[in-house]
Amino acid sequence: MPSIILAPIKITGAEGEVIFGDVLQVNPKSTSKSYSGAGGGNTGDWMGNVSVVSSTNTFDADIADSNNAANN
């Protein structure tokens, strides 16, 4: 099915692929884990964040979170 884009497009950064149009399946080529405090992952043009106390739990009992060995 063709895609029609009727809005302005703003891409500020891409580490992978930017796809327009028909796609059967999109698989990640790499995975990673990151820890950030309150508001650490916010993105946008006009962001405001107020955090008085922030604590991040970095304990992870899993051995493997994201397996993507077959996607490369």
Side-chain angles (χ1 to χ4, degrees):
M1 173 184 313
S3 64
I4 299 173
I5 302 168
L6 301 174
I9 299 171
K10 178 180 180 183
I11 300 174
T12 57
E15 295 181 9
E17 299 180 24
V18 178
I19 300 171
F20 299 102
D22 297 338
V23 175
L24 175 65
Q25 186 175 5
V26 177
N27 292 325
K29 300 298 180 190
S30 65
T31 58
S32 64
K33 179 182 277 190
S34 62
Y35 301 102
S36 61
N42 291 342
T43 58
D45 291 335
W46 307 100
M47 290 302 304
N49 185 28
V50 176
S51 177
V52 178
V53 176
S54 176
S55 176
T56 303
N57 182 9
T58 59
F59 175 73
D60 186 14
D62 297 340
I63 296 172
D65 291 325
S66 299
N67 297 326
N68 63 341
N71 293 342
N72 293 324

